[in-house]
Structure formats: structure tokens, C-alpha cells
Amino acid sequence: MISKFGVDKISLLILRQAIPSSIGILAMSLNLIIDTIFVGRWVDLLAIGALTTTLPIVFFISSAGMGIGIGGSSIISRALGNKDKYKVNKVFENQLFLTFCIAFLSLFIGVLFPTPLLKLFGAKEAIEVLAKEYFGIVIYGVPFFTFAMMGNPIIRALGKPKYAMAVIIFPVFINIILDILFIKIGNLGMFGAGLATTCSFLVSGILVFYFFLSKKQQTTIYLKKISIVPSLIKEIMSLGSVTFVRQGTISLLIIILNYNLLKYGSAISISIYGIINRVMMFALFPVLGITQGFLPVAGYNYGAKDLKRVKETIRISLIFGTGIALIIFILIMFFNNTLIGIFTNNKCMIKVTSKALTTTFLATPLITIQLIGSAYFQVIGETLKALLLALLKQGFFLIPLIYILPKFYGINGIWVSFPIADILSTIITLFVLKHEIKTNL
């Protein structure tokens, strides 16, 4: 599969990578959505708020693993394009070292200081008790999930997108079955939801571990001993910082968002955003899949110095992603009540959430430009540009808007901040990307 990155038709390569990635992202999104549905209907409506405040902590920690994985896979893709298998192995060894250090440090902090962490992310009032019950067990699964998030981009870079998809999909089925067993049948409430999620994290970690010990990755990676190479550590962390800082910014956004939702609304407002966030994750999975498909194809051809194919990869990815995003936008506008009704049968809740959901999705057709723009600079190793573009929406625009607009428009100012931030960040990303293509490609 790897050698085909340099010769096969670009559109086919992107689809071969994007479809399994999309299915994997869909499965992960469905996992969170089903968790939300189960706790919302079987535990308490405020349990959705508990998940909304707890899961950003989990994803912030695991994003370190994802950052290490994406940063390292960028180097690996270019090394494969250069036929440098020695460097591929050394990168992987240093990724392992970084991942285990970060995962277990996070576990230590999470076990010792759960209450301050949860309060920081908005778990207050009636939500706090439910959040503690869930987080108290989930934190033990985080090291396995972090390892899985590190390994997944590498598996894709090695030309095994279907296995990368399986690493995400199989644990989802485990989680759903255990959710029903623990929450519905066992009546274990939020603890049961947390236990099911922890078991699914464990399974995903084991699947990635098995891949690197088996012959599934062919002859590319051999792990004999871990030798730390400071220059590689620096490069991995530099490139991975784009993903980590982006997730860190999202986590900061959640803190600020939950604070303002409580200030201008109530604890129920956090549950409303929880539903919007789940719909957003589910709806955007194919666009995110296109971005994941773009990374190894662009990285390999950039490493092989075939700039014409890199340019074509950008063009095809933008066409695919924007077309899909437009379809998603239309579906959301027409079927928002139906989607919200999956999470709750409270008519008042559906009405209020429907208006907020429609507003937040107004600029959806523009998001592919943001994602591909940032991903391109990450692929070619220009960390600063990739980082700045990745931070445009959440960091430079959305967070300030969430602070400013509610002062004039109340809670509606929060919802309208999302499309405004999308429009502004897309304009800047498009300008930077066009200049890069004109100048260097």
C-alpha cells in the first residue's frame, strides 16, 4: 500500500485512506453519542452535562498521544517517501517513550486531583456528583486510550487504514454492549457508564499493541530497544504540538464556554451544548476522514519531492471535503429536531436546542478549508504556520467572541459566535494556503 502513495490516482488514494478513517471517526462519534443517549435517558438529563464537562479532560490527555502520533507519522511518511526505514524505526521508538511518560503522568495527576480538574472544566452544582462518579473510573483507562491515539496515525502512515479503523470500531461495540449491561441491566448509573468506557479504552490499546508486535505492519517497524534521540523527540513534539495545542485550546474553550453557559443560562444549558457537540462530532465525521486521508498521501509525496502530486492532493481533498460539508449543512437545517429528539423527548429542550444547533452550524460548508490548510503545513513540517492556523477558530476568534457577544445578546451570543469564528478563520486560512501553493507548489 505504501508504495502506491507515489503512483496511484490521487482521488483513489484519498478515498482509500479517508473511508476507513471516516468510519473510524464515525464509530468514535457514535460511541460518545450512544453514551450521551444512554445516560440522558437512563440516568438523568444532567448526566449529559456531566459527560460534557468530563470528556474534555479525557480527550485533552489523550490528545498528547494523538499529537505524538500525528507528529511522528508526519516524519514517518516523509521517511517512507525517502526510503529511510532506519529513521522510521527510530521515530517510533521515541514516540513510545514520550507516550508512556505523558500517559502515566496524567494518570497520576487525575487520580490525585479529580475534584479540582472537574471544577475547572465546569462540573459544578448538580453536575459535579455525576461527573465525579464517571471520571473516577474512566481515568484508569486513559493511558490505554492515549497509546491507541498515538498508534493510530502511524498505522495509517504504514498503509493499513483498515486496521486503524478496526482499532476504533471494535471497542465501540464493546462499549455499547457494556453500557446496556452496566447502566440499563445492572443499574450502575454513571459508574457503569465510566466502567464501560474504560473497558473500551483497554481494548483499543491492546489492539494497537498487537499490531506493532505482529506481522501486520510487514517489515517497516522493528522494535528491539528504545534509544532516545533528542533531535527526534524535539521534532515529534514540535509537529505534535499542533494537535496538542489545538486540543488544549478546545479544552480552554470548554472551560470558558461552560462558565458562560452557567452565567447566561443554567446547568441545562451545558446539557444543550453537550447535545450540539455530539451532533457536530457525528455530522462532521466524513470531513475529518478526508483530512485524515490527506495526511499520509500528501506526506509521502512531499517526502518524495513530487510537488505536483502534493498540489493535486490539496485540490482533491478540498473538493471532496467541501462537497460533503455542504450536504451535511443541508441535512442539519432540515432534520435538526429529529437529531435532537434522539437524545431527549423533552419538547422544551428540543425547541431550545434546535435553535442553538441551527445557529452553530451556519458556516459548516467552510470548515474543510480550515482543516486542510492546517494539515498541509503540519505535513511539510512548518509547525508555526500549522499551529497558528489550527488555533484561528477556537483560540483567536471563538474564545474572545464567547466573552464579548453574550454581554449584548445573552446566551444567543454564545451560539452565534461559532459561525462568525468559522467565517473569519476560513478567510485567513484560504489566503495563507493560496499564497503557499502559488509560491512553493
Side-chain angles (χ1 to χ4, degrees):
M1 176 68 182
I2 295 170
S3 60
K4 294 180 180 180
F5 284 159
V7 294
D8 280 8
K9 192 174 180 180
I10 295 293
S11 57
L12 292 177
L13 285 170
I14 292 172
L15 289 176
R16 284 176 195 157
Q17 292 288 315
I19 290 173
S21 295
S22 296
I23 294 171
I25 294 168
L26 171 62
M28 184 177 289
S29 301
L30 284 174
N31 196 17
L32 295 175
I33 288 168
I34 290 167
D35 265 358
T36 305
I37 294 170
F38 286 169
V39 300
R41 290 180 174 270
W42 295 342
V43 181
D44 189 282
L45 191 57
L46 287 176
I48 297 176
L51 288 181
T52 305
T53 56
T54 303
L55 288 177
I57 304 173
V58 174
F59 288 122
F60 176 68
I61 297 170
S62 62
S63 69
M66 186 183 296
I68 294 166
I70 291 176
S73 67
S74 173
I75 305 169
I76 287 173
S77 291
R78 282 177 274 138
L80 289 170
N82 286 326
K83 314 299 182 187
D84 188 352
K85 291 187 177 181
Y86 175 79
K87 187 171 184 178
V88 170
N89 282 280
K90 286 300 164 190
V91 171
F92 180 66
E93 290 172 12
N94 285 267
Q95 284 178 289
L96 277 181
F97 172 74
L98 282 171
T99 302
F100 284 120
C101 287
I102 290 173
F104 286 101
L105 175 62
S106 300
L107 175 63
F108 179 75
I109 295 171
V111 170
L112 287 184
F113 308 105
T115 301
L117 277 175
L118 290 169
K119 286 187 175 180
L120 178 64
F121 279 80
K124 298 174 183 177
E125 300 179 3
I127 290 176
E128 184 178 348
V129 175
L130 294 168
K132 281 183 179 178
E133 193 175 354
Y134 182 83
F135 186 73
I137 183 66
V138 164
I139 189 62
Y140 291 101
V142 168
F144 300 99
F145 189 51
T146 303
F147 175 68
M149 290 299 99
M150 181 277 292
N152 207 271
I154 303 173
I155 295 171
R156 287 198 304 271
L158 292 174
K160 298 291 182 180
K162 291 182 180 178
Y163 193 92
M165 174 185 71
V167 166
I168 296 175
I169 289 181
F170 187 66
V172 169
F173 289 109
I174 298 294
N175 189 41
I176 292 171
I177 293 169
L178 293 181
D179 265 340
I180 296 170
L181 182 64
F182 295 153
I183 305 174
K184 181 67 174 179
I185 300 175
N187 199 29
L188 295 177
M190 288 300 284
F191 176 83
L195 183 58
T197 300
T198 300
C199 291
S200 70
F201 287 171
L202 175 62
V203 171
S204 63
I206 290 172
L207 287 173
V208 171
F209 187 70
Y210 169 76
F211 177 87
F212 291 118
L213 290 182
S214 71
K215 295 181 180 179
K216 288 186 178 294
Q217 43 85 19
Q218 297 176 340
T219 59
T220 308
I221 287 179
Y222 293 101
L223 185 62
K224 295 181 180 179
K225 64 177 182 177
I226 295 178
S227 57
I228 308 306
V229 182
S231 60
L232 283 180
I233 292 282
K234 182 179 179 181
E235 189 175 3
I236 291 167
M237 293 185 69
S238 177
L239 291 170
S241 66
V242 177
T243 300
F244 184 66
V245 173
R246 181 194 289 125
Q247 186 59 46
T249 305
I250 292 172
S251 296
L252 177 61
L253 169 65
I254 295 296
I255 294 170
I256 294 168
L257 186 58
N258 288 343
Y259 170 81
N260 281 282
L261 286 170
L262 284 171
K263 181 178 179 181
Y264 295 99
S266 64
I268 290 295
S269 300
I270 295 179
S271 292
I272 290 172
Y273 175 69
I275 293 173
I276 293 172
N277 182 256
R278 299 301 181 271
V279 173
M280 197 174 290
M281 291 180 67
F282 171 73
L284 300 182
F285 79 88
V287 183
L288 296 173
I290 293 294
T291 306
Q292 293 299 319
F294 166 83
L295 288 167
V297 180
Y300 184 95
N301 285 286
Y302 190 84
K305 296 180 172 55
D306 192 340
L307 300 185
K308 184 179 179 181
R309 284 177 67 82
V310 174
K311 186 176 179 179
E312 181 69 2
T313 304
I314 296 172
R315 187 182 72 85
I316 296 295
S317 297
L318 287 174
I319 291 172
F320 282 171
T322 302
I324 293 168
L326 183 60
I327 294 170
I328 291 167
F329 170 75
I330 294 169
L331 292 174
I332 291 293
M333 293 302 109
F334 281 98
F335 300 105
N336 51 65
N337 281 349
T338 303
L339 289 170
I340 297 163
I342 296 172
F343 298 93
T344 177
N345 52 15
N346 186 305
K347 291 183 179 179
C348 181
M349 184 81 163
I350 292 173
K351 182 179 179 181
V352 175
T353 307
S354 176
K355 183 180 178 182
L357 179 68
T358 302
T359 303
T360 55
F361 270 84
L362 285 175
T364 300
L366 304 176
I367 63 170
T368 305
I369 296 171
Q370 301 171 39
L371 294 171
I372 296 298
S374 176
Y376 166 76
F377 288 105
Q378 194 168 7
V379 160
I380 67 173
E382 290 199 26
T383 308
L384 183 59
K385 284 185 181 179
L387 182 59
L388 291 174
L389 291 178
L391 293 180
L392 274 179
K393 178 181 176 179
Q394 284 89 2
F396 293 110
F397 295 124
L398 190 51
I399 288 176
L401 286 170
I402 286 172
Y403 264 122
I404 296 168
L405 294 186
K407 296 180 185 295
F408 302 97
Y409 304 106
I411 197 166
N412 289 328
I414 294 176
W415 308 131
V416 80
S417 297
F418 284 84
I420 293 174
D422 274 322
I423 292 168
L424 293 174
S425 56
T426 298
I427 291 171
I428 294 174
T429 303
L430 184 60
F431 174 80
V432 174
L433 188 58
K434 286 181 70 175
H435 180 267
E436 169 68 17
I437 293 172
K438 184 178 179 180
T439 305
N440 297 318
L441 294 180

